[in-house]
Amino acid sequence: MKQRILIVSNRLPASAKRHGEDQWSLTISAGGLVSALLGVKDVDAKWIGWAGLHVPDEVGKQSLSKALAEKGCIPVFLDEDTMNLYYNGYCNSVIWPLIHYLGLPREDRLATTTNTELQYDAYKRTNQMFADVVLQHYQEGDVVWVHDFHLMLLPKYLKDHDINMTVGWFLHSPFPSSEVYRTLPTRLELLRSVLCSDLVGFHTYDFARHFVSTCTRMLGLEGTPEGVEDQGRLTRVTALPIGMDSDRFRQALKLPEVKRQISELTQRFAGRKVILGVDRLDIIKGIPQKILAFEKFLEENPNWNDKVVLLQIAVPTRTEVPEYQKLKSQVHEIVGRINGRFGTLTAVPIHYLDQSVDFHALCALYAVSDVLLVTSLRDGMNLVSYEYVSCQGSNKGVLILSEFAGAAQSLGAGAILVNPWNITEVAGSIRHALEMASDEREKRHSQNYAYVTTHSAQAWAETFVCELTETVTEAQKRTRKIPPSLPSQTAIQQYLRSKNRLLILGFNSTLTEPVESSGRRGGDQIKEMELKLHPDLKGPLKALCDDEHTTVIVFSGSDRSVLDDNFGDFNMWLAAEHGMFLRPTHGQWMTTMPEHLNMDWAESVKHVFEYFTERTPRSYFEHRETSFVWNYKYADVEFGRLQARDLLQHLWTGPISNAAVDVVQGSRSVEVRPVGVTKGAAIDRILGEIVHSENMVNPIDYVLCIGHFLPKDEDIYAFLDPEYPSESQAKPEAGSASLGRRPNGRPSNGRTNSRDSQSGAQEAQAASSREGSSVLDLNGENYFSCTVGRKQSNARFLLNSSEEVVSVLKELATAK
């Protein structure tokens, strides 16, 4: 059975013309992307897109849908107002200029704000309409391949419906640097939606690199060599240059019609070298720069007058837009001036056509030209250069190619690369191309020809589909390592059945108040640094703490004063600095630190952290009694990582080279703490102290442990888990306190017997670690460990955010 692919793009590869109420004639585009996508081997491809015209009546929609279905196409019907606001508005007036480095519209910005909002509403509405059509035709197991910036919201809309749907997104335009992209008002929503895709594709590595960098800078996510990672979920990013159907052009050269036109053109321009330009009359194509460079060439090389001609085809586009009308007038003025200056009675140096040419004529032009001149100011790919190379089998013409065209990365070895803004450089390249020795021409052409003929559009499409399938398979493997969501109802039922409950709660990113972020680089540092208890938790937390059958511990790496400020009014236990300090809220702080904890390294580490804080703007470090933390969460992402790498080198080669310390790296932090200072190493001592202080008689028969803990501190899950497999998978930290393990290496965790626990109050007070572990009476049903936000974890279950923690604790507090 063939794999089904739903190809989704703004336009269908079909033009429709209506004849009567229910009769339509269709013209399907040939070659290029269309043949590539519809011709993928062993695939049943369906194309979804706008039909290119407004169909107001139901009869017309049904008849057109039926006619298109025979061609493998599925229409999305858009009314004229929506299409104008969506396509001409937000797509072409906002996103398109921005990604081509032209910036946002500048004229009367205040007056156009409302209009831009209306355009974006239409953009969202249209993306949802596309999603509705996709979902109508989607079958389980289908692959959905979304194309271009017109549909950046579609991946999220599809994944919201079915998280297991396979979705790829490919951009056929440039993706700008983060400094340009960050000016887009809707930058975050579009980025997050694209990241819902399983695979994101670009034509060049530069565009892919810009995308990854933008995600790290705008969203604070982790950029990896494979793509963008968000708490364990990876969106793979790939650079995959598109090809073209070179066979179609090579075969066309054999047609009698094309041979006839080649002969006519050869006679017409006999004795003159032909430089060809084929572009849309578009702002980004650099046509004025090209013509001015040709003028500069004629100025500096008068011996070439009457020996060279520039044939420029300028295909009209967006003729109703004032900027394009202005461009057209500007080009006409330049061409007229140059022809008037360098022309003769028998010849002019520039032949300029404001029109498109048919396929056969285009092939003939490619074949007779000595040079193709491409001066794009910014281009996603530019397949004109590929087409030219395909038609130059015998002539061995030279390709002059803008370094700002995507094709420069593919054909750069054989082409002459130029900066189109430097007209002197382009003029010199024109002379070099015209005077180039035949052997160099042949070598350059052979290099490009080999690439173009082996990298077809169909191979590009098949490669993307293959990579998308592999990406989904790899994602499924990673998903198996991600804990399932916490079954809150089961946890509540077990809570109600138990007699002596223990709730262990992390603080930061678990019980804290979320801070709104507009996506500004680094977020609101002042608000985020001041950790505050979530306001919706005060009531539920008080109810849980006042329950005589429930013991609550807030377990945090934060300083003691932070926990005092937030939890002083609750009847609970506070464990600060990873459990090295402990107190009941009605008592005094005590230490649970192992004896002989060596802190001789502290002063030298402090100096290193101070040094890097000074040289890294918006970084800071926390001086705790048992550890130091340097945090660069709010600094520039890339600079912060470089500084962190340098900081680690300073630490390892200096103050901690022979010290008994652990260096713990968080997502944007570096912490130095003594060996053995982990939550897992501390929890046993803490439980022993609690049992002794509260004269606890009944064993703890229910534990709910929730926290956003660093991987280093997830040993707390291993200690508490009654079904933890073996010591080999979770070895205790070197130098850590005893975890009360049995001879087989498993934590005792409450399955006590006469050999595990010794009688006598005096020994119980002296050996709190043994008492801490033996008080637990847990099995697989009454123990719930839960990570917050960290997708890959040793915890049994997952909560995605502090908001979900609030919801669970509210349910627990009101359960009866």
Side-chain angles (χ1 to χ4, degrees):
M1 185 175 178
K2 286 187 174 183
Q3 168 72 61
R4 271 182 33 118
I5 294 185
L6 301 181
I7 300 162
V8 192
S9 66
N10 174 59
R11 283 291 302 268
L12 287 172
S15 300
K17 189 174 183 180
R18 193 167 190 173
H19 306 282
E21 187 178 27
D22 60 355
Q23 297 295 318
W24 297 85
S25 61
L26 301 177
T27 302
I28 303 296
S29 301
L33 184 62
V34 179
S35 61
L37 295 176
L38 294 179
V40 179
K41 295 177 182 178
D42 301 321
V43 159
D44 178 17
K46 305 293 182 185
W47 198 309
I48 298 174
W50 180 52
L53 72 170
H54 175 50
V55 184
D57 59 298
E58 200 61 36
V59 173
K61 290 178 180 178
Q62 291 179 3
S63 58
L64 179 56
S65 297
K66 184 177 179 180
L68 287 169
E70 297 176 0
K71 305 293 185 180
C73 296
I74 301 167
V76 177
F77 293 105
L78 304 175
D79 62 77
E80 290 179 345
D81 289 341
T82 298
M83 191 63 195
N84 184 56
L85 287 169
Y86 153 71
Y87 184 73
N88 295 325
Y90 207 75
C91 290
N92 285 341
S93 298
V94 178
I95 300 180
W96 187 91
L98 184 81
I99 63 179
H100 287 87
Y101 290 77
L102 299 177
L104 296 172
R106 298 176 184 174
E107 298 81 14
D108 196 10
R109 292 295 300 142
L110 293 176
T112 60
T113 300
T114 303
N115 187 46
T116 302
E117 291 175 355
L118 290 174
Q119 291 173 351
Y120 187 59
D121 287 341
Y123 184 86
K124 291 192 290 186
R125 187 166 63 251
T126 303
N127 274 252
Q128 185 60 62
M129 293 171 72
F130 272 80
D132 293 340
V133 174
V134 171
L135 295 175
Q136 288 172 15
H137 295 270
Y138 175 79
Q139 300 174 10
E140 188 173 352
D142 286 355
V143 170
V144 182
W145 188 359
V146 183
H147 290 265
D148 237 343
F149 60 90
H150 310 87
L151 299 170
M152 293 180 76
L153 292 175
L154 185 55
K156 182 179 187 301
Y157 292 163
L158 296 177
K159 287 287 191 174
D160 284 347
H161 177 80
D162 183 357
I163 191 64
N164 296 316
M165 186 182 296
T166 300
V167 179
W169 183 80
F170 198 96
L171 182 66
H172 294 275
S173 301
F175 194 91
S177 70
S178 60
E179 287 302 304
V180 173
Y181 181 83
R182 68 195 294 239
T183 62
L184 184 66
T186 58
R187 59 192 183 180
L188 300 185
E189 191 172 358
L190 296 181
L191 267 187
R192 290 192 180 110
S193 177
V194 170
L195 285 174
C196 289
S197 308
D198 298 292
L199 178 64
V200 176
F202 301 90
H203 284 310
T204 74
Y205 172 72
D206 282 348
F207 304 156
R209 177 172 53 84
H210 289 162
F211 177 78
V212 173
S213 175
T214 299
C215 290
T216 60
R217 289 169 175 268
M218 295 292 99
L219 301 177
L221 303 180
E222 191 73 20
T224 73
E226 287 188 297
V228 180
E229 188 172 347
D230 181 7
Q231 295 293 339
R233 183 191 181 277
L234 177 70
T235 298
R236 192 175 168 199
V237 178
T238 185
L240 193 61
I242 193 173
M244 45 84 67
D245 186 5
S246 59
D247 284 339
R248 179 169 174 251
F249 285 84
R250 293 202 304 271
Q251 294 301 320
L253 296 178
K254 301 175 184 178
L255 298 175
E257 170 65 16
V258 176
K259 288 182 177 180
R260 181 185 62 79
Q261 294 195 43
I262 291 175
S263 177
E264 291 177 357
L265 289 170
T266 302
Q267 293 177 18
R268 174 70 179 82
F269 297 110
R272 303 174 77 186
K273 293 284 188 177
V274 177
I275 301 173
L276 178 64
V278 179
D279 308 276
R280 286 181 292 110
L281 185 57
D282 202 315
I283 296 171
I284 65 164
K285 294 300 182 178
I287 295 177
Q289 286 80 1
K290 178 189 301 186
I291 298 173
L292 290 173
F294 184 65
E295 180 184 30
K296 182 75 170 177
F297 165 75
L298 294 177
E299 286 176 354
E300 295 179 347
N301 301 276
N303 57 305
W304 275 101
N305 287 356
D306 289 335
K307 296 179 182 178
V308 63
V309 59
L310 171 63
L311 301 182
Q312 177 62 53
I313 310 297
V315 181
T317 181
R318 302 179 70 185
T319 54
E320 73 285 353
V321 178
E323 289 85 351
Y324 286 73
Q325 295 170 353
K326 181 179 179 181
L327 174 64
K328 181 178 179 179
S329 299
Q330 179 188 23
V331 172
H332 282 187
E333 180 182 339
I334 298 172
V335 170
R337 176 173 56 78
I338 295 173
N339 280 340
R341 181 182 176 189
F342 295 99
T344 65
L345 293 175
T346 57
V348 292
I350 301 177
H351 288 235
Y352 180 83
L353 275 72
D354 256 329
Q355 62 186 45
S356 58
V357 296
D358 64 45
F359 176 67
H360 291 162
L362 184 61
C363 292
L365 283 170
Y366 285 147
V368 300
S369 302
D370 300 282
V371 177
L372 179 73
L373 185 54
V374 178
T375 55
S376 303
L377 306 181
R378 191 70 58 176
D379 228 343
M381 197 63 192
N382 195 293
L383 291 179
V384 166
S385 55
Y386 282 56
E387 295 169 358
Y388 174 74
V389 171
S390 297
C391 293
Q392 282 287 315
S394 57
N395 200 26
K396 308 294 188 295
V398 180
L399 173 61
I400 300 177
L401 182 59
S402 166
E403 64 185 67
F404 300 118
Q409 292 198 14
S410 305
L411 303 180
I416 299 175
L417 297 183
V418 295
N419 177 357
W421 295 99
N422 187 339
I423 61 173
T424 301
E425 177 189 349
V426 178
S429 297
I430 292 174
R431 176 177 177 175
H432 176 45
L434 293 174
E435 298 178 351
M436 187 180 293
S438 59
D439 60 336
E440 183 182 349
R441 290 169 65 99
E442 186 160 349
K443 288 177 182 177
R444 288 179 175 274
H445 170 74
S446 297
Q447 191 82 24
N448 288 338
Y449 190 79
Y451 183 89
V452 168
T453 53
T454 54
H455 292 74
S456 67
Q458 186 169 329
W460 163 81
E462 290 173 353
T463 302
F464 186 88
V465 173
C466 182
E467 287 196 16
L468 178 56
T469 304
E470 291 176 357
T471 298
V472 172
T473 302
E474 289 298 318
Q476 290 171 348
K477 292 179 182 178
R478 285 192 300 271
T479 301
R480 295 191 190 107
K481 301 177 183 178
I482 297 176
S485 296
L486 176 70
S488 56
Q489 293 306 312
T490 303
I492 291 171
Q493 290 171 8
Q494 290 295 329
Y495 176 84
L496 295 175
R497 292 184 189 136
S498 58
K499 297 179 181 178
N500 190 11
R501 309 139 180 166
L502 175 65
L503 305 186
I504 302 174
L505 306 174
F507 181 40
N508 194 4
S509 300
T510 303
L511 304 179
T512 49
E513 181 179 8
V515 177
E516 291 293 329
S517 176
S518 63
R520 287 184 295 272
R521 192 174 293 179
D524 192 327
Q525 183 170 351
I526 299 302
K527 289 184 178 180
E528 290 184 28
M529 287 175 62
E530 188 177 357
L531 298 176
K532 292 290 185 182
L533 176 66
H534 197 297
D536 293 345
L537 274 177
K538 293 181 179 178
L541 205 53
K542 188 176 188 307
L544 291 169
C545 291
D546 291 344
D547 186 336
E548 61 180 353
H549 300 295
T550 303
T551 301
V552 179
I553 306 174
V554 172
F555 211 140
S556 175
S558 298
D559 187 79
R560 285 170 282 178
S561 61
V562 175
L563 299 189
D564 285 337
D565 293 342
N566 283 278
F567 300 101
D569 298 333
F570 296 90
N571 181 26
M572 61 168 60
W573 287 81
L574 303 178
E577 298 198 29
H578 307 294
M580 294 299 100
F581 296 94
L582 178 71
R583 83 170 177 102
T585 48
H586 54 268
Q588 299 298 315
W589 283 102
M590 65 189 83
T591 181
T592 66
M593 285 188 286
E595 293 183 12
H596 311 299
L597 196 66
N598 190 333
M599 295 292 292
D600 293 343
W601 48 267
E603 194 63 28
S604 55
V605 169
K606 177 184 175 183
H607 289 317
V608 173
F609 278 16
E610 286 176 339
Y611 172 70
F612 278 91
T613 300
E614 289 176 3
R615 61 185 282 187
T616 310
R618 296 188 70 179
S619 70
Y620 66 97
F621 85 94
E622 299 174 68
H623 180 188
R624 301 168 183 167
E625 193 161 332
T626 59
S627 66
F628 289 91
V629 181
W630 182 69
N631 193 306
Y632 58 96
K633 176 181 178 181
Y634 309 103
D636 179 271
V637 177
E638 295 178 6
F639 182 62
R641 285 179 186 153
L642 291 172
Q643 293 292 82
R645 195 179 306 154
D646 199 8
L647 178 144
L648 289 170
Q649 290 178 347
H650 275 70
L651 289 176
W652 287 119
T653 57
I656 66 171
S657 56
N658 296 310
V661 298
D662 284 325
V663 178
V664 183
Q665 294 186 60
S667 60
R668 304 281 171 81
S669 66
V670 177
E671 182 175 4
V672 178
R673 53 169 102 150
V675 168
V677 177
T678 68
K679 291 180 173 64
I683 187 62
D684 202 25
R685 300 190 294 272
I686 289 171
L687 287 179
E689 184 62 44
I690 291 174
V691 168
H692 172 64
S693 298
E694 298 187 359
N695 296 315
M696 195 175 288
V697 177
N698 294 326
I700 294 173
D701 58 354
Y702 177 92
V703 171
L704 173 62
C705 181
I706 303 177
H708 179 79
F709 300 138
L710 293 171
K712 185 82 172 176
D713 293 312
E714 287 200 341
D715 56 356
I716 190 172
Y717 301 139
F719 171 76
L720 293 167
D721 197 331
E723 298 180 358
Y724 196 72
S726 70
E727 187 176 21
S728 63
Q729 294 189 26
K731 296 180 180 178
E733 299 297 329
S736 66
S738 166
L739 298 185
R741 294 186 178 274
R742 293 177 175 169
N744 65 0
R746 291 170 56 85
S748 56
N749 284 358
R751 296 184 181 164
T752 59
N753 54 39
S754 58
R755 287 176 297 176
D756 291 323
S757 59
Q758 306 293 327
S759 59
Q762 185 176 2
E763 184 173 356
Q765 293 180 21
S768 63
S769 64
R770 185 179 303 141
E771 186 173 13
S773 58
S774 64
V775 77
L776 299 174
D777 184 17
L778 300 178
N779 54 49
E781 295 181 351
N782 58 6
Y783 171 62
F784 298 87
S785 59
C786 189
T787 182
V788 180
R790 190 180 301 284
K791 301 296 184 183
Q792 295 191 18
S793 169
N794 293 324
R796 289 186 171 193
F797 304 108
L798 167 70
L799 291 172
N800 287 304
S801 65
S802 60
E803 295 295 339
E804 292 190 11
V805 177
V806 171
S807 177
V808 168
L809 294 182
K810 278 184 176 180
E811 291 184 61
L812 211 60
T814 57
K816 293 180 181 179

